[in-house]
Amino acid sequence: MDLQKIIVADTNVNVFVGGHGKPLLILHDERGFDENAEHIVEMCKTRRLVVISIPGFDGSELPDWVDTVDDLSYICLSALQSLGIFDIDVLGCSIGGWIAVEMAVKMPNLTTKLALCGPLGIKTGPVAKLDIPDIFAVSRDEADRILFCNPRKAFVDLESLSVEKLTAMTRNRETTTLLGWEPYFHNPKLRRRLHRVECPTLFLHGAEDKFTSRSYIESYASLIPSASIIEVAKTGHFVHLEAPSVFVDHVLRFFDEKTD
Amino acid sequence: MKAWYFSETAYPFLPPEDTYKSIRVTLPSKHYDPRTGADLFDRYFKEWMVADEEGLNLMINEHHQTPTCVNPAAPVTMGAIARLTTKARLLILGNPIANRRDPIRVAEEMALLDILSHGRLEVGFVRGVPYELAAANSNPVRSNERMWEALDLIVKAWSEHEGPFTHEGRYFHHRSVNVWPRPYQQPHPPIWVSATSPSGAAKVGTRGYVQATFLTGRKSTPRVFDSYRRGWREAGHSGDVPLDRLAYSPMIYTADSQAKATQGAEKLLWYLKANKVPDHYRNPPGYLPVEANVSIMRGALPQLAASIKDMTVEAAIEAGVLFAGTPDRVHDQIVRFYDDVGGFGHLLMLGQAGLLDHAEAVHGIRMFGREVLPRLEATLRDRPLRQSAA
């Protein structure tokens, strides 16, 4: 993919562009962006992907004034404006899904269709229970069991990784913490704004996802006027990583469907 | 050399270690018996009063959601100490201001303590240990930035006396700051900061505050002090770093026989060995700099962590985290350490970590105060200053 460097809101933003077809904006999850990931390679065959490397993730600059997903959604909106994009299909996974929703409530006309895989961002459950399990209060292994259907998929051989890659992983965790520590992976106001999402919206839910549960996703979908849910068997939170071809099939079918 | 007696005010009556996952953050408070806890505080207060009688200054700290230090409100405890003692300088080290939502409240508490103690207070500020970010629900990321903004705001709140001022900062917002009472000491009590990273210590050096480092031992302490000196020089402070800007906190147990000293020292070491904390509380993302976490992922471990469980008294003395023995030996151990790290002006003696009974703790305090401290002062009085470590 080609790297475009743009400056918006005094921030250097990296945008990766590649593939052929109708444009599709991708907002990656908190594990960062990998252009060689199977679902990305597959989608490049039929769509022109526009991937904003989210500030603070991988090698992207994180301005010191940014500390919320709300801030990031403005940067991403400005990035699209800077690229001359005023309507586009959007796919967001996990924290990227949260950013996509924050963008959609701010500029409802921007998003043509919205596909969300395990999006974070809202709180609808009781005060005395976290909607999303506390990933910071468990070991890495336990976190992987929460996030993955097959935790072996999460295995990373640290010794095989370059300093650059280890640095990116560490930054990704740090930025995720900055954004999700408090309030815990949600914007208390966001649920009251979801009615502004006007476009058809698809939620992809891993059947074994213990991070964003089925009931959480159902609550989320119930607050968006035109939303549907597809559950993918034998996958956890990151459906795109555990079942990339099934993921791509569902996402592209949704985006390619004609709507009235 | 100023000596400070420091008690962790621990509650050591815990279930077997293999029955819980972490001594910090999550250990249920059902294991705390309030009557036993109240009796323990009676003892700890007596020990502070003994230390005061023996000419030692007093330091307390603050921790949360842990039996290793049951002092979640240091100003409350220090308020009582201020009225029970008469001579000692009183140090809180420290106020975990990166985790405090309202720095002005801290400024008020410390100003009031300074009044209650007739100007005996010294105020320490800390970023806070990583385990307590969960307890405070305080974001690990940018905690240094929050700490320094809070510190500067507190100093200003103590120093402005012409009516309200406003503060619209990055992390804290106040429209009408006008602290009553103003501190007894003018412009404000001496300020201490505990930092162990090179960049943190250098920043403390630029400000000229007292730099304290805890249990960093023979290997790491010189780096901390050298970083402070670098910051001091870079900020353009005149002359060499005065000794009274550098503080070191080891465990210390002095007894009239070697056997008793070893026994007491082993009880102090409990504090280190009992610190069972899983990695996700020990190192939450964003607490350490990215480069430090990359080093850890590549196999580097903090100096003490690897071998702490089976650390002997002798090994702890060699590492410089513990000084223990008869008065002669403790004196010699401290002087050797002093020379190895390039000198320091404050010795923060961790003399009660929880397992010592009252008689043992008092014996350790009296032996140090009577048999070690006067000799130490004499030995170090004319020690040539070194401005970099050996």
Side-chain angles (χ1 to χ4, degrees):
Chain A
M1 298 178 83
D2 297 326
L3 170 62
Q4 292 186 18
K5 290 175 176 282
I6 57 175
I7 298 175
V8 290
D10 296 327
T11 306
N12 294 298
V13 178
N14 295 335
V15 182
F16 294 89
V17 180
H20 305 281
K22 193 178 165 193
L24 169 60
L25 172 67
I26 294 197
L27 294 159
H28 60 77
D29 65 66
E30 52 272 31
R31 295 168 74 88
F33 175 63
D34 175 8
E35 65 176 305
N36 297 314
E38 205 175 320
H39 69 291
I40 297 294
V41 171
E42 197 56 32
M43 284 192 290
C44 271
K45 291 175 183 168
T46 54
R47 302 295 296 243
R48 180 164 177 76
L49 302 187
V50 178
V51 182
I52 297 177
S53 177
I54 301 168
F57 289 87
D58 298 319
S60 293
E61 180 191 0
L62 180 69
D64 61 5
W65 58 268
V66 167
D67 49 24
T68 64
V69 164
D70 184 58
D71 296 330
L72 292 177
S73 68
Y74 280 106
I75 292 178
C76 292
L77 285 169
S78 297
L80 291 183
Q81 279 179 319
S82 166
L83 293 166
I85 296 171
F86 299 101
D87 56 274
I88 189 167
D89 290 338
V90 179
L91 165 63
C93 299
S94 198
I95 216 160
W98 181 5
I99 297 171
V101 173
E102 294 271 10
M103 292 166 70
V105 299
K106 291 178 174 73
M107 286 187 68
N109 295 330
L110 174 82
T111 308
T112 320
K113 283 188 178 183
L114 178 59
L116 302 168
C117 176
L120 308 170
I122 63 163
K123 164 81 187 173
T124 61
V127 169
K129 186 176 186 299
L130 296 179
D131 287 26
I132 298 168
D134 192 349
I135 212 85
F136 301 121
V138 297
S139 68
R140 292 269 167 84
D141 288 348
E142 181 58 25
D144 288 342
R145 283 192 286 275
I146 291 169
L147 291 163
F148 285 84
C149 174
N150 177 4
R152 275 183 305 219
K153 289 264 185 187
F155 175 76
V156 177
D157 179 10
L158 294 178
E159 287 183 10
S160 71
L161 297 181
S162 64
V163 169
E164 187 186 11
K165 182 65 187 162
L166 291 171
T167 301
M169 281 175 62
T170 307
R171 290 193 78 224
N172 293 348
R173 285 194 189 116
E174 185 171 312
T175 303
T176 303
T177 307
L178 174 72
L179 302 171
W181 187 271
E182 186 206 8
Y184 184 65
F185 283 123
H186 71 279
N187 170 357
K189 299 295 174 70
L190 184 58
R191 61 174 293 197
R192 305 290 176 188
R193 298 170 183 170
L194 291 179
H195 65 91
R196 288 171 53 79
V197 179
E198 294 173 353
C199 63
T201 301
L202 172 70
F203 285 81
L204 277 171
H205 173 64
E208 308 301 325
D209 183 357
K210 294 178 277 296
F211 194 51
T212 48
S213 66
R214 174 79 194 195
S215 65
Y216 175 85
I217 295 297
E218 284 174 357
S219 298
Y220 217 140
S222 72
L223 295 164
I224 292 178
S226 178
S228 58
I229 302 174
I230 290 178
E231 187 166 283
V232 181
K234 294 180 184 167
T235 60
H237 186 62
F238 303 109
V239 178
H240 49 294
L241 301 181
E242 291 206 81
S245 56
V246 178
F247 175 87
V248 171
D249 283 351
H250 285 305
V251 167
L252 293 185
R253 190 177 307 130
F254 167 69
F255 283 129
D256 291 342
E257 253 173 20
K258 289 264 184 293
T259 50
D260 297 330
Chain B
M1 170 76 75
K2 267 191 179 172
W4 303 72
Y5 169 71
F6 157 39
S7 164
E8 283 283 357
T9 60
Y11 182 90
F13 309 113
L14 301 178
E17 192 180 278
D18 58 2
T19 62
Y20 55 83
K21 289 183 179 168
S22 176
I23 199 168
R24 310 261 183 171
V25 189
T26 57
L27 187 66
S29 63
K30 68 183 179 188
H31 298 301
Y32 185 82
D33 175 61
R35 285 180 178 74
T36 306
D39 291 344
L40 265 180
F41 265 110
D42 288 347
R43 259 181 49 195
Y44 292 151
F45 272 93
K46 284 179 190 160
E47 289 158 19
W48 282 317
M49 291 166 74
V50 168
D52 182 42
E53 286 165 21
E54 296 298 329
L56 302 180
N57 302 294
L58 302 178
M59 177 204 136
I60 63 169
N61 63 350
E62 173 171 311
H63 285 290
H64 299 261
Q65 295 192 185
T66 176
T68 58
C69 171
V70 190
N71 195 5
V76 172
T77 325
M78 194 58 104
I81 294 173
R83 305 304 295 182
L84 289 168
T85 60
T86 53
K87 294 184 296 188
R89 299 288 298 171
L90 308 175
L91 168 65
I92 294 183
L93 190 56
N95 292 280
I97 49 175
N99 298 346
R100 284 284 160 75
R101 306 286 160 143
D102 181 2
I104 298 306
R105 170 74 188 197
V106 177
E108 290 173 330
E109 289 167 349
M110 296 302 111
L112 180 57
L113 274 175
D114 204 31
I115 296 292
L116 294 179
S117 65
H118 290 252
R120 287 186 289 135
L121 187 68
E122 313 224 351
V123 181
F125 296 110
V126 298
R127 180 164 69 125
V129 290
Y131 339 115
E132 284 164 26
L133 291 157
N137 213 36
S138 185
N139 203 315
V141 185
R142 299 179 179 158
S143 50
N144 272 315
E145 290 86 339
R146 286 200 306 279
M147 184 190 90
W148 282 103
E149 184 180 329
L151 193 158
D152 289 341
L153 176 55
I154 290 166
V155 172
K156 189 173 177 187
W158 285 335
S159 311
E160 293 272 335
H161 308 298
E162 299 299 327
F165 70 88
T166 60
H167 180 88
E168 294 186 321
R170 172 69 175 86
Y171 299 102
F172 303 103
H173 299 259
H174 290 270
R175 280 185 291 134
S176 183
V177 181
N178 185 27
V179 167
W180 281 67
R182 59 192 282 198
Y184 192 96
Q185 298 168 88
Q186 294 294 313
H188 54 72
I191 293 172
W192 297 51
V193 179
S194 166
T196 49
S197 71
S199 60
K203 181 145 188 182
V204 183
T206 64
R207 304 299 188 91
Y209 300 144
V210 183
Q211 156 72 48
T213 178
F214 288 76
L215 301 172
T216 36
R218 206 177 301 282
K219 197 168 164 191
S220 298
T221 305
R223 282 203 292 270
V224 177
F225 288 172
D226 281 347
S227 298
Y228 182 96
R229 293 185 185 101
R230 177 166 50 81
W232 172 274
R233 281 194 300 270
E234 285 173 4
H237 293 295
S238 59
D240 292 336
V241 172
L243 271 185
D244 68 3
R245 303 305 155 90
L246 300 174
Y248 180 63
S249 179
M251 299 177 165
I252 298 181
Y253 193 74
T254 316
D256 53 12
S257 78
Q258 191 56 33
K260 271 165 79 174
T262 302
Q263 202 177 25
E266 274 165 359
K267 291 184 175 180
L268 285 178
L269 279 180
W270 169 84
Y271 183 77
L272 287 183
K273 295 184 179 187
N275 198 27
K276 180 183 183 181
V277 187
D279 283 347
H280 51 273
Y281 289 132
R282 197 180 282 280
N283 184 16
Y287 184 80
L288 293 177
V290 168
E291 313 78 64
N293 271 317
V294 169
S295 298
I296 290 170
M297 284 198 281
R298 287 168 72 83
L301 282 171
Q303 184 197 357
L304 288 171
S307 57
I308 217 153
K309 270 283 167 199
D310 41 33
M311 183 178 264
T312 61
V313 167
E314 292 72 28
I317 291 170
E318 187 52 38
V321 299
L322 168 75
F323 304 128
T326 55
D328 284 352
R329 290 194 186 191
V330 171
H331 167 271
D332 293 350
Q333 289 162 13
I334 294 172
V335 171
R336 180 187 159 210
F337 184 86
Y338 182 97
D339 287 341
D340 283 350
V341 303
F344 53 95
H346 300 278
L347 183 67
L348 307 172
M349 154 184 164
L350 174 48
Q352 171 59 288
L355 286 188
L356 291 173
D357 66 28
H358 182 61
E360 289 169 330
V362 167
H363 182 70
I365 294 166
R366 291 204 198 284
M367 289 300 290
F368 181 83
R370 293 177 188 184
E371 305 295 333
V372 180
L373 185 57
R375 287 181 51 200
L376 205 52
E377 284 169 338
T379 305
L380 300 178
R381 189 168 297 130
D382 302 317
R383 208 81 173 168
L385 270 182
R386 264 215 310 276
Q387 283 298 315
S388 65

